[in-house]
Amino acid sequence: VQLQASGGGLVQAGGSLRLSCAASGRIYSSAVMAWFRQVPGKEREFVALTRWSRDSTLYAGSVKGRFTISRDSARNTVYLQMDSLKPEDTAIYYCARGSQWATQSAEYFSWGQGTQVTVSS
């Protein structure tokens, strides 16, 4: 299964963006889909995750209440709706697929190519 992330861009603080992660091939119901982000020189940071077959979600404290992760099984796509964006949200955002309910990037074995999000102040 390959993942293709899209939807990044430049937005002013307080604005919104929606990222998409389209998966090719079948995603098993037990899969966990996640978003991470990374700033150059820093480690990859967990943002949000969801189970492919359930509405269970988990968010990093820094984005809780502002970001929403969702999935569309018919479209084989996971979304990250980002509202009330802040300059500190600027990063490359990656979608990932794993099998464990985990916030550590090492637990994920399939990654998209990343999409740049830049929030100006």
Side-chain angles (χ1 to χ4, degrees), residues 19 35-36 43 57 61 64 81 85 105-106 116:
L19 305 183
W35 287 95
F36 288 78
E43 292 188 356
T57 58
K64 193 171 185 179
Q81 176 67 39
L85 281 161
S105 60
Q116 175 72 47

Side-chain angles (χ1 to χ4, degrees), residues 2-121:
Q2 292 186 332
L3 304 177
Q4 179 76 32
S6 62
L10 173 64
V11 64
Q12 289 188 334
S16 298
L17 281 174
R18 188 177 79 158
L19 305 183
S20 299
C21 177
S24 62
R26 178 182 177 182
I27 297 179
Y28 288 93
S29 59
S30 59
V32 175
M33 303 297 292
W35 287 95
F36 288 78
R37 65 187 182 186
Q38 190 169 23
V39 175
K42 294 190 176 181
E43 292 188 356
R44 196 162 291 188
E45 175 190 26
F46 166 75
V47 175
L49 64 81
T50 184
R51 284 204 181 274
W52 185 249
S53 61
R54 301 180 185 176
D55 289 333
S56 302
T57 58
L58 182 68
Y59 297 92
S62 59
V63 307
K64 193 171 185 179
R66 301 188 297 121
F67 291 11
T68 303
I69 188 171
S70 62
R71 80 264 186 268
D72 184 334
S73 301
R75 296 179 183 271
N76 243 24
T77 301
V78 176
Y79 302 98
L80 185 68
Q81 176 67 39
M82 306 186 295
D83 299 318
S84 302
L85 281 161
K86 304 175 181 180
E88 51 264 43
D89 294 318
T90 295
I92 300 174
Y93 283 70
Y94 298 90
C95 59
R97 180 176 66 96
S99 59
Q100 301 297 318
W101 186 263
T103 61
Q104 297 81 15
S105 60
E107 295 292 338
Y108 293 81
F109 45 77
S110 182
W111 292 83
Q113 85 286 5
T115 184
Q116 175 72 47
V117 172
T118 303
V119 184
S120 63
S121 58

